Amino acid sequence: MRLIRYGEPGQEKPGILDTEGRVRDLSATLDDLGAASLGRDALERLKGVDVAGLPLVAEGTRLGPCVANVGNFVAVGLNYSDHAAETGAAIPAEPILFNKAPSCIIGPNDDVVIPRGSTKLDWEVELALVIGETCSYVSEEEALSYVAGACLCNDVSERAFQNERGGTWTKGKGCPTFGPLGPWLVTLDEIDDLQDLDMWLDVNGNRRQTGNTSTMIFNCAFLVHYISQFMILRPGDVITTGTPPGVGLGMKPQTFLKEGDRMSLGIKGLGTQEQTVRA
């Protein structure tokens, strides 16, 4: 299933993509696409819905973030070997974890706003996992059974805040609008292999990132297992799993986003996003 939230910010309703790629309204079945609707039993019930009989949503309706009321937004740094190399960083011995503020989450095509004092605004196409079941101390073998699905994320980053202001990376990762999610939450039964997904990102029509999840240092199952050793993951929590090479920080000379720039990005099977940078 490809699950969607649509409508104006703060008033989103749940939806589902039909076989022809059209958005259908699920609001008669679900209140929203959040914690209560992401567990195994809830998703199994959704499979029985007659999608073709649901009302169509008007074409062009805004898409919201594909999961509601995210409690914890965990991110993984330097998780692609080729991205670590371009930044001059050593391959981490264990996953680097930091948090993005849930308040940074926006729809897949909403504007990205330059925060006050920003000088080095950057892009990162990433695969994100959405937790479906409460998850604590899980094994790597069982880890993906706790995941409701996957989605596309742009881990928008302010590098001066992240790297030059001391403390943790969180400073440059959680500003408002720094977490576009969606367009779809794709259930894992629709994805052949999380570790073989092509991904890309363009800025103003120029290809910046080209990668594949096969070059992750720590794979998706290991990340869920690993993170669950340090915190309880709850339904609706999001883990964004790192980015391939091609970020502005790694370019020579370094290149960062400015007002009016347009980012386009996608992951095979998970849809595409487009954001315009605004002051």
Side-chain angles (χ1 to χ4, degrees):
M1 293 180 290
R2 287 170 167 79
L3 301 169
I4 289 173
R5 297 175 69 247
Y6 70 91
E8 293 304 306
Q11 302 176 36
E12 291 94 346
K13 296 180 179 180
I16 190 169
L17 213 65
D18 67 18
T19 56
E20 298 180 28
R22 299 174 297 185
V23 180
R24 300 275 183 168
D25 178 28
L26 267 177
S27 58
T29 303
L30 297 177
D31 290 332
D32 205 346
L33 189 60
S37 54
L38 294 173
R40 302 180 195 107
D41 292 343
L43 292 177
E44 194 61 35
R45 287 193 296 271
L46 273 182
K47 290 180 182 178
V49 172
D50 176 19
V51 174
L54 297 173
L56 280 168
V57 175
E59 190 173 348
T61 299
R62 172 190 175 267
L63 298 181
C66 59
V67 59
N69 302 317
V70 173
N72 198 0
F73 194 177
V74 185
V76 183
L78 298 177
N79 193 36
Y80 283 69
S81 54
D82 35 12
H83 171 55
E86 76 170 341
T87 64
I91 300 296
E94 295 191 33
I96 295 170
L97 305 181
F98 58 92
N99 278 83
K100 289 178 73 75
S103 58
C104 80
I105 294 172
I106 58 172
N109 304 314
D110 292 345
D111 290 345
V112 166
V113 179
I114 303 171
R116 294 179 184 177
S118 169
T119 57
K120 296 181 178 180
L121 188 64
D122 208 347
W123 56 84
E124 292 190 9
V125 59
E126 302 201 4
L127 170 70
L129 306 174
V130 178
I131 299 298
E133 302 278 347
T134 299
C135 178
S136 180
Y137 295 112
V138 300
S139 68
E140 186 175 352
E141 293 72 24
E142 296 180 334
L144 292 182
S145 69
Y146 291 81
V147 174
C151 65
L152 174 61
C153 174
N154 189 353
D155 177 17
V156 182
S157 307
E158 213 297 333
R159 304 302 189 185
F161 295 177
Q162 176 187 351
N163 297 323
E164 300 169 19
R165 301 287 297 272
T168 69
W169 289 4
T170 298
K171 292 177 182 177
K173 296 287 191 171
C175 301
T177 73
F178 275 24
L181 289 181
W184 318 316
L185 171 60
V186 182
T187 52
L188 292 191
D189 59 328
E190 298 274 343
I191 301 172
D192 291 335
D193 185 356
L194 283 171
Q195 301 308 145
D196 187 21
L197 298 176
D198 291 330
M199 54 207 308
W200 56 272
L201 183 145
D202 294 348
V203 178
N204 299 327
N206 298 309
R207 183 59 45 94
R208 296 298 184 217
Q209 291 185 272
T210 302
N212 186 284
T213 55
S214 63
T215 69
M216 281 185 182
I217 299 166
F218 305 105
N219 68 28
C220 292
F222 181 83
L223 290 174
V224 175
H225 150 73
Y226 182 85
I227 294 167
S228 80
Q229 310 305 302
F230 303 100
M231 65 187 78
I232 297 173
L233 294 167
R234 301 192 186 281
D237 287 352
V238 174
I239 300 170
T240 190
T241 60
T243 198
V247 299
L249 180 68
M251 296 177 68
K252 296 180 180 178
Q254 292 181 343
T255 303
F256 298 109
L257 296 163
K258 60 186 184 302
E259 184 177 10
D261 284 347
R262 191 160 184 85
M263 293 176 281
S264 304
L265 56 150
I267 297 178
K268 181 182 178 182
L270 302 185
T272 61
Q273 299 182 356
E274 290 192 2
Q275 298 108 27
T276 300
V277 178
R278 303 293 187 197

